[in-house]
Amino acid sequence: MIRIDCKTRWNSTFLLIEATIECKQVLMKLFSEKRSFNLRSEQVNRLITVELNNDEWDFLSSLRFVLNPFYHATTLMSGKNYPSIGLAFHAIHKLKHFCSKDDTYEEKIKQMKKLLLAKLNYYFYDDLEQHEHLENHSYFDPAAHLTLTENEKQRNERYIKDLILNDVYPQQSSTSDGSKASSSSNAISTSSTKSSIQLPQSL
């Protein structure tokens, strides 16, 4: 059974903001001409309560800018084709870089980035054991490998070497099998030697 996720589930807020901004001209015309329509006073008052001013439109634009990378990240990791751990690690790393980057003078955007960065750190980076586990298992993914710094790559290589040197993988059985095979071959060779020595006597 193929599992199909709803790609809009994680992005409903962003999509609502995007649609509102795209319809800005229509909405502004509706608000400005609301009294010219054949509406009841109750309907007119309701339109007045939801009418957006310039500051609110600016705030929506700032929200769209901040949530746009999260929209692309969640779209990347949604749907029936779920990503590898490396792709998820890469997306999380890019989101943290975006929230950490101070590339704007708008205070609203800075505050929103700061709030989102705190949540990213809480869920993915503050738990060092969890982060290292995620990083170690992302090492062989091409996207995640490009994301890692040289120090992180070296740390992962040491981790992999330690796994092998500490014999975490079942190499002991293969070594013992080799020893058994070697002892068996020695026994056969000894037996062959004895047989060759005893052969003339039997003849």
Side-chain angles (χ1 to χ4, degrees):
M1 179 178 179
I2 298 176
R3 181 179 176 182
I4 301 178
D5 196 4
C6 179
K7 295 186 179 183
T8 60
R9 179 174 61 175
W10 307 109
N11 298 299
S12 56
T13 301
F14 174 81
L15 293 174
L16 176 62
I17 294 171
E18 182 79 6
T20 303
I21 293 176
E22 288 181 358
C23 298
K24 180 179 179 180
Q25 298 301 323
V26 177
L27 291 173
M28 291 184 68
K29 185 175 178 62
L30 172 65
F31 292 139
S32 62
E33 300 180 3
K34 56 184 174 293
R35 299 188 186 280
S36 63
F37 302 128
N38 187 20
L39 300 175
R40 300 191 306 271
S41 58
E42 180 184 352
Q43 293 173 319
V44 173
N45 292 333
R46 187 174 297 176
L47 283 174
I48 293 173
T49 58
V50 298
E51 187 173 355
L52 300 174
N53 57 37
N54 289 333
D55 290 338
E56 290 168 336
W57 282 112
D58 290 341
F59 185 75
L60 285 179
S61 297
S62 300
L63 268 177
R64 179 176 64 172
F65 173 77
V66 172
L67 294 179
N68 187 55
F70 289 86
Y71 167 76
H72 290 294
T74 50
T75 301
L76 181 68
M77 294 187 288
S78 297
K80 63 181 181 180
N81 298 318
Y82 282 83
S84 66
I85 191 172
L87 188 58
F89 178 83
H90 177 72
I92 293 167
H93 181 81
K94 289 299 182 183
L95 288 176
K96 183 181 180 182
H97 176 72
F98 169 76
C99 292
S100 304
K101 190 176 180 182
D102 189 9
D103 57 353
T104 178
Y105 295 101
E106 293 187 31
E107 193 61 30
K108 293 191 297 292
I109 294 178
K110 289 181 180 179
Q111 290 298 322
M112 285 186 278
K113 281 186 173 185
K114 185 177 180 180
L115 292 171
L116 289 169
L117 180 61
K119 291 300 181 182
L120 281 172
N121 286 329
Y122 176 77
Y123 286 108
F124 296 106
Y125 292 92
D126 288 348
D127 189 335
L128 296 180
E129 183 179 357
Q130 173 186 272
H131 179 68
E132 288 181 1
H133 187 72
L134 182 64
E135 184 181 291
N136 291 333
H137 289 79
S138 303
Y139 178 76
F140 294 102
D141 187 278
H145 193 79
L146 293 174
T147 302
L148 297 171
T149 64
E150 289 302 319
N151 289 335
E152 289 171 338
K153 291 176 183 177
Q154 292 175 8
R155 184 168 65 246
N156 279 278
E157 289 166 3
R158 286 195 299 270
Y159 170 78
I160 295 167
K161 289 176 182 177
D162 289 340
L163 285 181
I164 298 172
L165 293 176
N166 293 333
D167 203 20
V168 174
Y169 296 114
Q171 293 181 346
Q172 186 174 359
S173 60
S174 62
T175 304
S176 61
D177 291 343
S179 301
K180 291 178 181 177
S182 176
S183 60
S184 299
S185 62
N186 290 335
I188 293 171
S189 124
T190 305
S191 174
S192 301
T193 304
K194 290 180 179 178
S195 299
S196 62
I197 293 172
Q198 293 173 358
L199 186 60
Q201 296 176 358
S202 62
L203 287 173

